[in-house]
Amino acid sequence: MTPVLEVADLRTHFLTRAGVVKAVDGVSFALGRGEILGLVGESGSGKTVTGFSLIGLVDPPGRIVGGSIRLEGRELVGLSQPELRRIRGREIAMIFQDPIATLNPLLTIGQQMEMALRAHQRVSPRAAAARSAQLLEQVGIPSAAERLRAYPHQFSGGMRQRVAIAIALLHQPRVIIADEPTTALDVSIQAQILHRMRALARETGTAMVWISHDLAVVSSLASRLLVMYAGRLVEEGPTAEVLRHPRHPYTAGLIASLPAMAPPGAPLRQIPGSTPSLMSLPPGCPFRPRCARASAACAQMPPLARAGARAWACHRPEEA
Amino acid sequence: MLGFVIQRFLQAVLVMVAMSVIVFAGVHAVGNPVDIVIPPDATQDIREEAIRRLGLDRPLWEQYLIFAGNLLEGDFGRSFVYNVPVLELIAGRLPATLELVLISVISATILGVALGVYAGYRPEGWLARTIMAVSVLGFSVPSFWVGLILILTFAVSLGWLPAGGRGETVEILGVPWSFVTLDGLAHIVLPAVNLALFKLAMMIRLARAGTREIMLTDTIKFARAAGIPEGTILRRHLLKLISIPIITVFGLELGSTLAFAVVTETIFSWPGVGKLIIDSIAVLDRPVMVAYLILVAFLFVSINFVIDLLFALIDPRIRARRTA
């Protein structure tokens, strides 16, 4: 199976006055057709910047300083903004965390969907409305044709996120980047949306990069997991295997700190310390100061070791 | 929405009544017109006769009731000085102010929003920096000085444009207008530029601040992620999202400029209402002052009302709140 998206040694840095922030520093992965890939990490691990890098929307002073992003073999790094614009929304789409903030409160749902359609094809207003209504129905919005005339404030948060998903799906993109799209929603709505997204990915063959800090959400959805820490990938592998036998101590810590893993009444486990500042990373493994297994060897940056479908960046990995 | 309109209308009536009382009492407190209108060498009999004729011998509350009664019949009274109906006097001057102010405020808004959006969209560019530098000048240089410099440069030194007056006018619906003739337009240019400068600076700042804020929001990011062209994003998302503060300031500026374009009108001897009110204050022509100030209040109330309606037109959430 040829991957639809291939990322190699992606590096996105923010050149600020105070110094260079290496938000993404050498990330590589491949995404298969129709695959759902979970990208997990704490806040500040670089997962969101990775997502924006894929779609070519890194805010200045950040920029992609190296590496390659290939979409069906076509190199995206180095394309001009107009060229990227023609790809965005049509071949790669993105869904954001906060559905309240993403839709324009002053335009109707129909107007916003028509604008997104018109970005890539010439359509009559009537055809645009028909296509929009069809998409809204697909994401589970009842009486879609009437809802096109409604404004975002007339929708609940979950419904707005469905609208955003419908907009992302308008052109049947190859890849959707979902940046914590359910974090702002109630748990029951979350489950509905996850279920819907998985079904849609299956029906349309759209691949997905699902970015989240919530290992529980991702593991119910993604077939493969990438774990990021301080701008780097620290672990990769099939979801079930990674959850059962994490190799990187950081992944092990994340799994152990899931509430479901603790016996009832017992205090929750947590990883000591917090994510390091990306401005002043010490040499060697960035997780070393928080790691119980750290040794002298960890003063050297560990390479990503591969074994079958698994990969980890650790000198002293957990037992397989 | 209808309930909202009725409510606002009643509010407006209340404001107008309160304004008329305040204006009437305030103008009464400023000074006694008798001292100015009647020659100092007039006999006591002539003096008392004049006071009686003008109705100034009655108590203030009675004067107000007579005035208010006449007002309801559309009679604003007669000018002490010109001895013509005040309404006629003001109506004769209003078109000159109206065309000058509308031209300057509207062009300042259009140009200011365009420049401000650009400056907010590309804040690091040299053009944006130049625009902002100019806007600082527009804010800090006093208007009368700019007016004098404009006359000195374009009328005196270069001789390109006339220094004052309305130029050739054409009557439309019985009202003389300058903006329809080339000569009239040439006369409008300098005073309009003079009036517009401050407003231009303000609109630039307002549009720039709004643009910088909105361009960072998820709404814009999401639109970009959908591949919507930048031009469409600016036209359909940004302009709408920054329009509420701009319309607010536009209305306020329109009202205050219509009422108080005095400095510019004086410098360019533009025969508008601003000059009329200043002259009236100098000779304590009470009916003109009162009628003028009440008209100004009416103007502000109407403009605010229109702006409120525009808000509801732009923002569906405001619409929803008002029907609720």
Side-chain angles (χ1 to χ4, degrees):
Chain A
M1 184 179 72
T2 53
V4 52
L5 188 73
E6 266 184 293
V7 178
D9 195 28
L10 179 68
R11 280 176 289 127
T12 304
H13 294 178
F14 287 74
L15 312 163
T16 67
R17 235 167 245 169
V20 178
V21 178
K22 298 176 176 176
V24 180
D25 203 26
V27 166
S28 307
F29 64 89
L31 179 68
R33 207 167 294 276
E35 184 187 15
I36 300 182
L37 183 68
L39 182 57
V40 188
E42 291 169 282
S43 318
S45 61
K47 55 194 194 309
T48 295
V49 177
T50 303
F52 279 114
S53 301
L54 297 180
I55 201 164
L57 278 181
V58 182
D59 278 327
R63 62 190 192 89
I64 298 176
V65 296
S68 118
I69 301 166
R70 284 175 177 278
L71 180 69
E72 302 199 299
R74 184 179 178 196
E75 179 61 55
L76 301 188
V77 175
L79 287 188
S80 69
Q81 276 301 326
E83 286 169 311
L84 280 169
R85 183 195 72 72
R86 280 193 285 277
I87 291 168
R88 283 199 290 261
R90 201 176 61 187
E91 289 172 59
I92 301 190
M94 188 159 177
I95 312 167
F96 292 26
Q97 176 169 355
D98 183 5
I100 311 283
T102 47
L103 298 174
N104 186 337
L106 309 182
L107 299 174
T108 64
I109 302 301
Q111 285 171 327
Q112 303 193 46
M113 294 190 82
E114 189 181 327
M115 230 194 288
L117 261 178
R118 287 245 164 103
H120 299 294
Q121 62 190 76
R122 299 174 73 97
V123 283
S124 69
R126 184 187 294 262
R131 172 91 181 120
S132 303
Q134 179 198 349
L135 256 304
L136 287 186
E137 240 150 60
Q138 248 182 55
V139 297
I141 292 180
S143 54
E146 285 124 69
R147 301 301 266 164
L148 286 178
R149 281 191 297 275
Y151 286 91
H153 75 269
Q154 293 163 303
F155 286 69
S156 67
M159 281 296 166
R160 280 189 235 194
Q161 194 60 288
R162 285 168 199 253
V163 173
I165 293 167
I167 290 177
L169 286 170
L170 272 176
H171 298 279
Q172 294 186 300
R174 318 255 186 250
V175 179
I176 290 182
I177 297 151
D179 185 11
E180 311 228 18
T182 58
T183 307
L185 306 176
D186 290 345
V187 178
S188 59
I189 310 283
Q190 227 178 63
Q192 287 174 13
I193 295 219
L194 292 180
H195 179 78
R196 182 71 66 168
M197 289 300 280
R198 195 163 43 195
L200 286 170
R202 203 172 296 141
E203 286 164 26
T204 59
T206 299
M208 241 181 266
V209 179
W210 194 280
I211 300 170
S212 180
H213 68 274
D214 188 343
L215 200 57
V217 166
V218 177
S219 55
S220 71
L221 191 72
S223 55
R224 238 165 15 108
L225 280 186
L226 299 175
V227 183
M228 274 187 89
Y229 187 80
R232 293 164 173 278
L233 283 185
V234 294
E235 177 142 20
E236 176 187 342
T239 305
E241 283 182 41
V242 171
L243 288 182
R244 210 172 314 127
H245 301 296
R247 301 304 303 270
H248 198 284
Y250 175 62
T251 318
L254 277 185
I255 295 167
S257 59
L258 285 176
M261 301 300 283
L268 294 176
R269 296 259 311 269
Q270 53 180 356
I271 305 174
S274 57
T275 37
S277 157
L278 294 174
M279 197 93 82
S280 52
L281 279 181
C285 174
F287 188 58
R288 185 174 39 141
R290 301 171 72 186
C291 183
R293 299 174 63 89
S295 71
C298 301
Q300 297 288 319
M301 181 67 84
L304 200 65
R306 284 196 177 275
R310 303 285 305 268
W312 57 89
C314 185
H315 291 299
R316 306 190 59 208
E318 309 267 345
E319 302 303 318
Chain B
M1 199 63 206
L2 184 68
F4 168 77
V5 171
I6 292 169
Q7 184 198 336
R8 284 313 292 260
F9 180 75
L10 292 179
Q11 271 176 20
V13 170
L14 269 180
V15 168
M16 292 307 302
V17 170
M19 261 309 288
S20 72
V21 173
I22 292 170
V23 165
F24 201 83
V27 165
H28 180 82
V30 170
N32 192 348
V34 175
D35 299 336
I36 292 177
V37 174
I38 297 164
D41 54 356
T43 65
Q44 191 62 20
D45 282 347
I46 296 177
R47 211 178 142 79
E48 270 166 17
E49 152 66 17
I51 289 174
R52 209 170 25 254
R53 193 161 38 79
L54 294 174
L56 297 173
D57 55 337
R58 299 169 198 238
L60 187 63
W61 61 269
E62 208 182 318
Q63 287 183 38
Y64 175 76
L65 285 184
I66 293 171
F67 164 76
N70 290 340
L71 206 59
L72 289 180
E73 289 165 11
D75 177 9
F76 279 76
R78 294 179 85 86
S79 160
F80 289 166
V81 177
Y82 301 98
N83 198 24
V84 291
V86 169
L87 214 50
E88 230 169 76
L89 205 60
I90 292 178
R93 299 290 202 106
L94 202 56
T97 298
L98 210 58
E99 66 178 347
L100 177 65
V101 167
L102 279 178
I103 286 176
S104 80
V105 173
I106 289 175
S107 47
T109 303
I110 293 172
L111 193 65
V113 168
L115 292 177
V117 166
Y118 178 85
Y121 184 68
R122 295 225 179 284
E124 305 298 330
W126 63 269
L127 190 54
R129 290 177 197 278
T130 314
I131 291 169
M132 294 324 289
V134 170
S135 88
V136 170
L137 274 184
F139 262 125
S140 43
V141 181
S143 169
F144 75 89
W145 185 81
V146 173
L148 294 176
I149 294 297
L150 284 176
I151 291 180
L152 205 63
T153 314
F154 293 99
V156 179
S157 300
L158 297 170
W160 290 351
L161 293 164
R166 283 186 80 181
E168 196 184 323
T169 57
V170 170
E171 289 217 353
I172 299 174
L173 302 171
V175 181
W177 300 97
S178 295
F179 73 96
V180 278
T181 69
L182 217 57
D183 181 55
L185 271 181
H187 280 81
I188 286 185
V189 172
L190 286 185
V193 167
N194 189 200
L195 267 185
L197 218 57
F198 180 83
K199 294 158 227 320
L200 179 74
M202 187 152 48
M203 284 299 176
I204 287 177
R205 302 231 139 218
L206 210 59
R208 185 183 101 116
T211 304
R212 292 201 70 172
E213 190 191 317
I214 298 294
M215 288 315 282
L216 295 177
T217 59
D218 276 359
T219 305
I220 301 296
K221 271 202 161 175
F222 185 65
R224 282 181 169 157
I228 295 170
E230 291 291 294
T232 312
I233 289 179
L234 292 184
R235 267 197 324 275
R236 302 224 25 213
H237 282 299
L238 179 81
L239 276 187
K240 229 171 176 186
L241 287 167
I242 64 170
S243 60
I244 293 227
I246 286 175
I247 288 175
T248 310
V249 170
F250 175 84
L252 289 176
E253 281 300 308
L254 187 63
S256 63
T257 315
L258 276 173
F260 310 111
V262 183
V263 174
T264 299
E265 287 185 355
T266 310
I267 294 174
F268 291 90
S269 43
W270 190 263
V273 280
K275 255 182 119 315
L276 175 71
I277 182 67
I278 287 295
D279 296 344
S280 306
I281 291 171
V283 297
L284 290 177
D285 194 348
R286 271 192 200 167
V288 179
M289 291 159 75
V290 171
Y292 179 75
L293 290 175
I294 286 176
L295 268 182
V296 166
F298 177 72
L299 211 66
F300 268 93
V301 167
S302 327
I303 288 175
N304 276 326
F305 180 66
V306 171
I307 285 173
D308 272 327
L309 290 182
L310 280 179
F311 283 174
L313 208 66
I314 290 169
D315 195 332
R317 291 166 299 181
I318 295 177
R319 230 153 40 223
R321 225 172 296 142
R322 283 179 191 167
T323 19

